[in-house]
Amino acid sequence: MSLTYEYNAPMKKFIIIHYGEIGLKKGNTEYFVAKLCKFIKEKLEKKFKISFSVRHFLGRILIPLKDDFSDSDEILYSDILKKIFGIKNFTSLAPA
């Protein structure tokens, strides 16, 4: 999967997730990462009642956020993600 953006296109806000030991699995890495992505997607959609796109890209999991995603929503997603086994750390990335 590749992420392409037009040059000078406005950058969206993302959640970037680094996963832990599932990246060490020999032949099953893709399976475990896909399971983690699906679980993250289900948890976020259940809480926020909207659709999320959860993508695995270059050893990270990226979740593009809607433009109206607020700071109070960040606290809610943080509470959800910190309870998911397999996630090492996460942060949000927003345009400057």
Side-chain angles (χ1 to χ4, degrees), residues 34-54 63 80-81 84:
K35 288 289 236 185
L36 180 59
C37 288
K38 182 180 177 190
F39 190 69
I40 292 168
K41 180 177 172 66
E42 288 172 357
K43 287 289 191 183
L44 291 174
E45 288 177 351
K46 181 179 178 182
K47 179 67 174 180
F48 291 101
K49 308 289 190 232
I50 59 172
S51 179
F52 283 88
S53 171
V54 179
I63 305 170
I80 294 168
L81 294 178
I84 297 177

Side-chain angles (χ1 to χ4, degrees), residues 1 4 9 20 28 30 43 45 52 54-56 74 84 95:
M1 177 184 308
T4 58
N28 297 347
E30 289 182 26
K43 287 289 191 183
E45 288 177 351
F52 283 88
V54 179
R55 303 174 184 162
H56 179 242
E74 278 193 50
I84 297 177

Side-chain angles (χ1 to χ4, degrees), residues 17-20 22 36 40 61 80-90:
I17 300 172
H18 298 206
Y19 49 83
I22 63 170
L36 180 59
I40 292 168
I61 296 172
I80 294 168
L81 294 178
K82 68 184 177 185
K83 295 176 184 174
I84 297 177
F85 180 78
I87 293 178
K88 186 175 179 184
N89 58 53
F90 56 91

Side-chain angles (χ1 to χ4, degrees), residues 61-95:
I61 296 172
L62 302 175
I63 305 170
L65 301 174
K66 306 243 185 244
D67 293 333
D68 61 350
F69 206 77
S70 69
D71 290 339
S72 61
D73 290 335
E74 278 193 50
I75 295 168
L76 292 174
Y77 89 71
S78 178
D79 289 340
I80 294 168
L81 294 178
K82 68 184 177 185
K83 295 176 184 174
I84 297 177
F85 180 78
I87 293 178
K88 186 175 179 184
N89 58 53
F90 56 91
T91 188
S92 62
L93 174 68

